Amino acid sequence: MIRLDVCGSPAPKGSSRAVIRGNRAILVPSANDTGKEKLANWKSDLLAEFHRVDPDRLNRPTAGPVVCACVFRFPMRRGDCGTGKNAMVVKPSASAFLVTKPDADKLLRSTLDAITAAGRVWLDDSQAIVLGARVYV
């Protein structure tokens, strides 16, 4: 098991859309330039943490099944804390879970793709037979 604590902003991998050109359908990523930059930064942060935690593991990719559990943490939202002298106090109504965008499945997709792109942890993200994700603030 590898445990990573990646300091950075988790970025989702956006959806693709099909565009027909001639007789063929081509998948076009829907991410704008800002989304692409955030995704690239997330992938870079993730791979740097893999290398920091277990550099030897990166040279021995696993060929068998893998269980992958991810916990994504985001900064607290503006309305989760009080104001004035209570600015550092979390409101009782604040949720510990992020129940808005980005979706957990898109966060998982970007994370698994980053690990696959490294080519040194596993051979393909299809090896992940059990996936779990928690998204917190």
Side-chain angles (χ1 to χ4, degrees):
M1 179 174 117
I2 299 175
R3 183 185 189 286
L4 304 175
D5 191 7
V6 181
C7 296
S9 296
K13 183 171 184 182
S15 302
S16 297
R17 56 189 166 90
V19 176
I20 297 179
R21 300 226 172 117
N23 298 358
R24 303 173 68 174
I26 299 171
L27 285 178
V28 179
S30 62
N32 58 25
D33 289 338
T34 305
K36 288 179 186 177
E37 185 177 328
K38 286 181 182 178
L39 184 58
N41 290 340
W42 172 242
K43 287 182 176 184
S44 175
D45 292 343
L46 183 68
L47 295 178
E49 181 66 6
F50 260 112
H51 186 70
R52 186 192 73 74
V53 168
D54 195 356
D56 294 333
R57 166 85 178 199
L58 291 174
N59 297 320
R60 297 179 275 116
T62 298
V66 176
V67 173
C68 186
C70 297
V71 175
F72 301 100
R73 288 186 294 262
F74 285 85
M76 292 189 72
R77 295 168 299 243
R78 194 176 327 160
D80 287 346
C81 293
T83 57
K85 68 177 185 178
N86 293 320
M88 300 302 289
V89 179
V90 178
K91 292 180 181 177
S93 61
S95 174
F97 298 99
L98 186 69
V99 291
T100 59
K101 290 186 177 185
D103 303 350
D105 61 326
K106 291 184 179 178
L107 290 168
L108 269 175
R109 200 171 354 147
S110 67
T111 302
L112 297 178
D113 285 351
I115 296 168
T116 300
R120 300 149 119 193
V121 177
W122 56 44
L123 302 174
D124 188 69
D125 58 5
S126 64
Q127 293 172 242
I129 58 167
V130 176
L131 295 173
R134 292 183 186 163
V135 185
Y136 295 104
V137 286

